Amino acid sequence: DAPYLLRVTPSQLKQMNGRKGRDAWTALGGMVYNISPYVPFHPGGKGELLRCAGKDGNKLFNEIHSWVNYDNMLSACRIGILVEEHASTT
Ligand code: HEM
């Protein structure tokens, strides 16, 4: 894995739900993205996008628009890889 990517556990991801001044992160395809910078650009609006904040977004994302190439769109927002709970290094 690329050394500049964080290793993020589900419980760490859960903290990053966009509330209390925190950024909103989501996991898609095993990668973790900071979606806060993307919020103003989401065609489906802020409320819809943030439904995936702090958790694995695959189900919601694919229910709506499985054809959208999120990894291409969010390449600048890619910050980590989702790992199992015990695997955190921080
Ligand atoms: C529309 C990207 C997450 C709900 C769109 C479109 C893009 C996009 C590109 C336009 C699609 C088109 O017109 O063909 C993303 C990205 C996401 C994300 C990069 C990364 C997390 C979500 C989530 C939800 C959602 C989690 C809902 C829970 C919607 C809805 C639309 C939409 C409802 C349709 C808006 C409309 O046509 O009026 N999104 N989306 N999106 N998205 Fe997302």
Side-chain angles (χ1 to χ4, degrees):
D1 301 315
Y4 48 80
L5 289 173
L6 297 169
R7 294 166 63 79
V8 180
T9 63
S11 60
Q12 289 170 335
L13 180 61
K14 199 173 179 179
Q15 304 293 312
M16 303 306 288
N17 58 9
R19 299 173 189 270
K20 297 182 181 171
R22 291 180 180 144
D23 279 346
W25 296 3
T26 192
L28 293 167
M31 304 301 296
V32 178
Y33 302 87
N34 181 356
I35 53 174
S36 286
Y38 179 65
V39 165
F41 304 103
H42 181 233
K46 176 178 182 173
E48 287 288 288
L49 176 63
L50 290 183
R51 287 171 63 195
C52 69
K55 60 185 186 184
D56 192 308
N58 283 292
K59 189 163 179 285
L60 282 171
F61 184 95
N62 287 324
E63 277 171 8
I64 308 288
H65 40 40
S66 59
W67 64 87
V68 170
N69 189 339
Y70 59 83
D71 194 53
N72 191 12
M73 295 184 61
L74 301 176
S75 60
C77 300
R78 198 189 298 129
I79 56 168
I81 58 172
L82 188 64
V83 297
E84 286 179 50
E85 199 57 53
H86 66 268
S88 173
T89 54
T90 56

